[in-house]
Amino acid sequence: MSSVEHTQIKADTPPPGMRIERDVPITMRDGLVLRADVFRPDDDAIHPVIMTHGRYAKGLAWQEGYSYMWQIISREHPDVLEGSSNRYQNWETVDPEKWVPDGYACVRVDARGSGRSPGYLDMFSAEEVLDFAECIEWAGTESWSNGKVGLLGISYYATNQWQVAALKPTHLAAICPWEGAFDYYRDVCRHGGIVNTFVASWAPKQVFGLQHGAGERAPRDQNTGELVAGPVTLSDEELATNRADVAEQIREHELCDEFYRERTADISRIDVPILSAANWAHHLHTRANFEAYTEAGSTQKWLEVHGLEHWTLFYQEYGLDLQKRFFGHFLHGHDTGWAEQPPVTLNIRHVDGSFERRGEQEWPLARTQWTKLYLDPNDLTLSKTDPGHPGSRSFEALGDGLTFMTPPVETKTEITGPLAARLNVSSTTTDVDLFLTLRVIDPEGKDVTFVSGIDPRGIPTVGWLRASHRKLDGARSLPYRPYHTHDEVQPLAPGDVVTVDVEVWPTSVVLPTGYRLALTVQGKDFELPGDGPWPTFNNTQMRGNGVFVHRDPVDRPSDRSNSETTLVSSPDRPCYLLVPIIPF
């Protein structure tokens, strides 16, 4: 890779002790030039690098581009704003004013086809990942670099960390994917085989709206006055031909084929130190941070799990301290106390919204009491006792479904870990989509909700499965985490009963005495009961699932939606939910 002269488009006055270089060129293997902003100490010393590479425009102010989230963090967590002028806040990346003084160079790169970088926009593609690897190697050889590059960012800026780390760039020294998917099929695009419409609603605004060439349609950098997605302004037709149609890509690829495999990291190849930071409730990322932690090839890896909005703790003192101790140890070589960090740190969730921090040695927890709660279709109970008698009950695919409920717990009960369900179902058509929602019910019969990654009133956790995708990978499936191949469609014969195993994503909640656990089984996205008001984001009304819903009219045609599903249980084929109970 060639290194070319750094230029700065327009000077803005940086804080004392910081040097800023704008639109620094990084030349790729095919000659295309990506653009980066570099924030580094104003000295002649060498420093480790914290890098991001992605789609959200390096020059776009968080306050302007993501005002909804900025308002929440400013109102609910004003401590985040302290100690910084907040002039360089950029969505889901680190604040340079809080990292450069500690001797880091912060590098933000606009990915190919986004922001200030030209080229064809194809999210999470092999080409994009190769670009990222070349950027890492570039940063590791610059005169101001100590040769160690760390990756730290949220969501998109976490997902592609898994991808690029699997390529093993020479100068990559450590990664911290903060709430980032890695399985493009199972985590992002097709939950249980069902199209997740979030991608189609998110991409036009947050990715295509910042495509290189959006030019005058996009905002300007508040520090330099330059167009964040310029400098050129292209026509709508030119922009469309210069990007992949992500919604159509997902519709065209129903099974987990090469398209998804190209965009899914081989986690086992990763060998650098990892801090995998998970959120208990994010319908794109939760599963991934746990799966990647357990499957990564690295011998030095840590798991941290938290709650609240998926951007909040990243910026709060708790997250900053965690990140700086990790990178201080691996990039600076400082004694930060990281050597004493437990392999797993869990912030256990309580029904009042509080958290209890606890160090653990493994995931799932070795002391877990895996407990089967049996579904009885006759009386809609959820019980540790096998009903021992046959039963069946039907529901309309787009109706309220069936809700099974435990008696009030007699002692405080902690549920922490992954879950799984085994159900026997039939349909009046050749397929059925199953949506399983775990709920916590208070003594007054009301749902207990939690601030989730996106939704201020989120459900505890959820699982999905299209019954025709019920085929399991026997080598990779575990009793508490079924793994579906998604490599063939096995249609149902109308009226015939099939057994399905449904993965329910990990969760944590402590039930006080008198509270109950419930499982709702239906053929559509669960919605919390009541009149709201319900917040809306990306044109989606959030009623427990945030913006992660499954309403694609092509993927879910009317004949399937108008079907009837029957849940069947018998002594030799019981239905149950496997729950991870942690003894006190």
Side-chain angles (χ1 to χ4, degrees):
M1 168 152 347
S2 61
S3 177
V4 293
E5 183 182 357
H6 297 182
T7 59
Q8 188 171 346
I9 288 181
K10 178 180 177 181
D12 57 317
T13 305
M18 183 187 293
R19 184 179 300 172
I20 303 175
E21 294 170 289
R22 304 281 186 179
D23 271 4
V24 177
I26 309 175
T27 304
M28 297 293 99
R29 61 206 168 276
D30 59 356
L32 185 133
V33 175
L34 303 185
R35 297 289 176 174
D37 286 350
V38 179
F39 305 80
R40 58 188 178 92
D42 189 14
D43 57 29
D44 295 324
I46 58 173
H47 303 281
V49 178
I50 298 292
M51 176 178 278
T52 51
H53 171 275
R55 299 292 177 187
Y56 296 151
K58 60 183 175 57
L60 178 61
W62 178 356
Q63 298 91 322
E64 181 176 8
Y66 303 89
S67 59
Y68 174 81
M69 290 80 164
W70 183 258
Q71 290 168 11
I72 291 175
I73 206 165
S74 301
R75 181 179 66 248
E76 304 294 335
H77 311 284
D79 53 296
V80 168
L81 280 61
E82 298 173 359
S84 173
S85 71
N86 298 297
R87 289 173 56 196
Y88 309 107
Q89 291 281 15
N90 182 252
W91 176 237
E92 299 186 333
T93 69
V94 301
D95 179 357
E97 290 186 78
K98 294 187 178 180
W99 284 84
V100 171
D102 288 340
Y104 293 93
C106 297
V107 179
R108 296 171 177 164
V109 185
D110 280 339
R112 182 181 296 243
S114 293
R116 305 280 294 183
S117 296
Y120 187 78
L121 194 165
D122 192 2
M123 295 187 296
F124 302 116
S125 64
E127 184 172 56
E128 178 183 321
V129 182
L130 284 172
D131 286 349
F132 197 177
E134 293 194 20
C135 291
I136 291 169
E137 300 298 64
W138 169 84
T141 57
E142 287 296 282
S143 60
W144 39 261
S145 170
N146 75 349
K148 294 183 178 181
V149 178
L151 308 180
L152 174 60
I154 309 172
S155 193
Y156 203 107
Y157 299 112
T159 298
N160 60 14
Q161 289 183 45
W162 301 119
Q163 292 179 290
V164 75
L167 296 185
K168 301 185 179 183
T170 304
H171 292 281
L172 182 61
I175 65 172
C176 178
W178 196 280
E179 302 186 32
F182 87 85
D183 189 320
Y184 197 56
Y185 188 97
R186 295 166 180 82
D187 300 338
V188 180
C189 298
R190 285 183 168 267
H191 291 149
I194 309 166
V195 168
N196 171 20
T197 53
F198 165 78
V199 180
S201 63
W202 154 78
K205 180 179 180 181
Q206 293 186 245
V207 177
F208 300 162
L210 297 171
Q211 183 179 355
H212 181 77
E216 296 290 349
R217 300 181 187 81
R220 291 182 178 272
D221 186 318
Q222 295 182 356
N223 292 295
T224 69
E226 298 291 339
L227 294 166
V228 301
V232 298
T233 300
L234 303 178
S235 68
D236 290 339
E237 292 75 16
E238 289 173 306
L239 291 172
T241 58
N242 212 26
R243 66 176 181 245
D245 185 339
V246 63
E248 194 56 36
Q249 285 176 325
I250 295 169
R251 291 191 190 103
E252 289 176 353
H253 296 269
E254 178 181 358
L255 299 178
C256 190
D257 57 14
E258 186 57 34
F259 167 76
Y260 295 105
R261 287 192 290 271
E262 176 187 326
R263 291 160 175 78
T264 298
D266 182 353
I267 296 296
S268 66
R269 287 182 48 81
I270 300 177
D271 56 10
V272 296
I274 300 168
L275 172 56
S276 177
N279 191 308
W280 289 120
H282 194 296
H283 293 356
L284 288 184
H285 305 318
T286 296
R287 174 187 183 275
N289 281 102
F290 289 103
E291 289 283 305
Y293 169 74
T294 58
E295 294 185 13
S298 177
T299 58
Q300 299 183 89
K301 54 185 179 180
W302 290 263
L303 173 68
E304 183 276 341
V305 195
H306 52 267
L308 301 182
E309 305 90 356
H310 88 106
W311 58 87
T312 296
L313 270 74
F314 180 87
Y315 293 97
Q316 281 193 307
E317 188 61 34
Y318 166 77
L320 274 174
D321 174 71
L322 193 72
Q323 297 155 17
K324 288 185 176 181
R325 286 193 295 113
F326 175 72
F327 285 112
H329 180 83
F330 288 108
L331 301 190
H332 273 301
H334 294 163
D335 181 6
T336 64
W338 193 259
E340 288 73 50
Q341 181 74 13
V344 175
T345 301
L346 304 179
N347 288 280
I348 303 301
R349 194 163 55 175
H350 290 264
V351 296
D352 63 357
S354 64
F355 295 89
E356 172 191 353
R357 193 170 307 153
R358 194 169 70 206
E360 299 285 356
Q361 295 301 308
E362 71 286 307
W363 180 267
L365 305 185
R367 64 185 182 279
T368 302
Q369 296 176 350
W370 297 104
T371 304
K372 290 181 179 179
L373 299 180
Y374 293 92
L375 285 66
D376 189 340
N378 293 314
D379 58 11
L380 297 180
T381 56
L382 192 61
S383 170
K384 294 180 181 179
T385 303
D386 187 337
H389 54 251
S392 66
R393 192 173 293 230
S394 301
F395 59 91
E396 296 179 359
L398 295 185
D400 293 332
L402 307 176
T403 296
F404 300 83
M405 200 171 301
T406 66
V409 298
E410 297 179 355
T411 59
K412 185 170 68 171
T413 302
E414 178 183 335
I415 297 170
T416 296
L419 302 90
R422 173 163 291 180
L423 305 178
N424 308 306
V425 297
S426 68
S427 175
T428 54
T429 63
T430 58
D431 214 340
V432 56
D433 289 344
L434 295 168
F435 294 71
L436 275 59
T437 304
L438 189 73
R439 302 163 65 184
V440 173
I441 308 299
D442 70 14
E444 285 71 47
K446 297 179 180 179
D447 277 274
V448 176
T449 61
F450 304 88
V451 176
S452 71
I454 297 293
D455 198 327
R457 295 178 60 189
I459 54 179
T461 191
V462 64
W464 313 263
L465 183 65
R466 176 159 289 166
S468 62
H469 286 233
R470 64 190 177 278
K471 179 183 174 183
L472 293 173
D473 183 331
R476 300 189 67 174
S477 289
L478 299 166
Y480 53 79
R481 200 272 281 120
Y483 191 92
H484 300 90
T485 61
H486 298 292
D487 61 0
E488 66 173 300
V489 175
Q490 299 178 336
L492 282 64
D496 284 358
V497 178
V498 298
T499 299
V500 298
D501 292 284
V502 184
E503 177 184 13
V504 180
W505 286 16
T507 192
S508 176
V509 62
V510 177
L511 276 64
T513 301
Y515 282 65
R516 293 182 289 174
L517 198 66
L519 180 70
T520 294
V521 181
Q522 56 192 142
K524 65 174 184 176
D525 294 296
F526 173 79
E527 294 184 346
L528 286 165
D531 298 326
W534 308 105
T536 298
F537 183 68
N538 271 3
N539 299 316
T540 301
Q541 189 180 71
M542 299 191 291
R543 297 186 61 171
N545 285 288
V547 292
F548 308 108
V549 293
H550 307 76
R551 302 169 185 167
D552 187 279
V554 176
D555 181 64
R556 306 194 72 209
S558 59
D559 62 333
R560 184 177 301 166
S561 300
N562 293 331
S563 65
E564 184 177 78
T565 302
T566 302
L567 186 69
V568 180
S569 178
S570 64
D572 61 330
R573 295 173 73 183
C575 299
Y576 61 82
L577 175 69
L578 186 65
V579 177
I581 295 179
I582 309 302
F584 284 99

